[in-house]
Amino acid sequence: GEDVEQSLFLSVREGDSSVINCTYTDSSSTYLYWYKQEPGAGLQLLTYIFSNMDMKQDQRLTVLLNKKDKHLSLRIADTQTGDSAIYFCAEGGSQGNLIFGKGTKLSVKP
Amino acid sequence: SQTIHQWPATLVQPVGSPLSLECTVEGTSNPNLYWYRQAAGRGLQLLFYSVGIGQISSEVPQNLSASRPQDRQFILSSKKLLLSDSGFYLCAWDTGTGTEAFFGQGTRLTVV
């Protein structure tokens, strides 16, 4: 079945780069997404990548897609304490639905 | 173990008909519950969230309402559907402690 996996925790120091990884199973996914959830708030779409792209950069965010290995990553450059949140990877499934990973909690230490 | 059930998976309803989508959670108590919608070509939009029984917060004005009659039950409703209500509806829960969240399978609603 369709599944999205990501590690649950990541801890980095302020100013370092953060890399959050995700693997997915549905090779027919059209879009792959990264969402952010801050404490007490709903999900916020950070960025997305079309499945025929390898990379997308948006300010401090870089998304890399390895379609062969079904691996997606989100790199946050110059990580700040305000980046502390849970980051969710999601794929657009074959039925037009969204399938989410369980989320990676990013902790940024000063 | 903790699970979340959302149904139905797909739904086709005529304009003007009522709507009721149900979401139930197992294996936890007093979860935060969320209803999201993804319209075509857009990201997820938070519709409602609830921190307890009978406590519903609405993020956007719309044709929909939500209720939480029991601790682990969250219902999304409409009295009269509009064409613009078509989309993918997703229920989710978390513990409110800043750890992982859990998502339902989603409901693909098509209003015709």
Side-chain angles (χ1 to χ4, degrees):
Chain A
E2 299 163 330
D3 196 13
V4 176
E5 299 282 344
Q6 53 184 126
S7 55
L8 293 183
F9 300 99
L10 176 65
S11 181
V12 300
R13 289 200 178 277
E14 192 173 17
D16 288 349
S17 292
S18 306
V19 179
I20 303 172
N21 295 301
C22 168
T23 58
Y24 61 98
T25 57
D26 187 352
S27 58
S28 66
S29 295
T30 305
Y31 288 97
L32 294 136
Y33 304 84
W34 283 105
Y35 282 86
K36 176 183 180 182
Q37 184 180 32
E38 296 180 88
L43 288 172
Q44 171 197 359
L45 178 64
L46 276 182
T47 187
Y48 63 92
I49 188 168
F50 191 49
S51 59
N52 69 351
M53 297 170 64
D54 297 325
M55 185 182 83
K56 181 179 180 181
Q57 187 152 4
D58 184 2
Q59 298 181 347
R60 291 192 297 124
L61 304 178
T62 303
V63 179
L64 295 176
L65 175 61
N66 182 328
K67 201 171 179 182
K68 174 176 172 289
D69 295 337
K70 297 178 189 171
H71 182 265
L72 183 74
S73 68
L74 174 70
R75 179 177 180 270
I76 305 173
D78 187 25
T79 312
Q80 303 297 308
T81 54
D83 294 322
S84 293
I86 305 176
Y87 291 82
F88 292 91
C89 172
E91 62 168 341
S94 58
Q95 301 301 316
N97 55 335
L98 283 176
I99 301 167
F100 283 82
K102 286 190 169 65
T104 299
K105 182 175 182 180
L106 174 64
S107 298
V108 182
K109 299 179 180 178
Chain B
S1 64
Q2 299 145 334
T3 56
I4 177 169
H5 302 282
Q6 181 183 344
W7 68 92
T10 58
L11 191 60
V12 179
Q13 292 283 100
V15 168
S17 65
L19 173 74
S20 180
L21 301 182
E22 188 163 344
C23 175
T24 58
V25 177
E26 295 178 2
T28 188
S29 59
N30 198 31
N32 289 345
L33 295 169
Y34 306 84
W35 276 112
Y36 292 92
R37 173 172 63 195
Q38 184 190 29
R42 301 181 183 178
L44 281 181
Q45 178 186 40
L46 178 63
L47 300 176
F48 301 96
Y49 68 93
S50 172
V51 299
I53 296 174
Q55 299 177 61
I56 310 293
S57 296
S58 175
E59 290 294 300
V60 293
Q62 58 210 312
N63 185 39
L64 303 166
S65 61
S67 61
R68 185 170 178 173
Q70 300 181 48
D71 181 44
R72 288 171 286 179
Q73 184 184 30
F74 206 23
I75 298 172
L76 183 69
S77 304
S78 173
K79 292 182 179 178
K80 289 185 178 181
L81 284 169
L82 305 172
L83 287 174
S84 57
D85 292 324
S86 293
F88 178 70
Y89 291 84
L90 191 70
C91 179
W93 75 269
D94 62 36
T95 61
T97 60
T99 54
E100 60 188 325
F102 299 85
F103 296 90
Q105 293 298 303
T107 298
R108 168 69 56 190
L109 172 66
T110 304
V111 182
V112 297

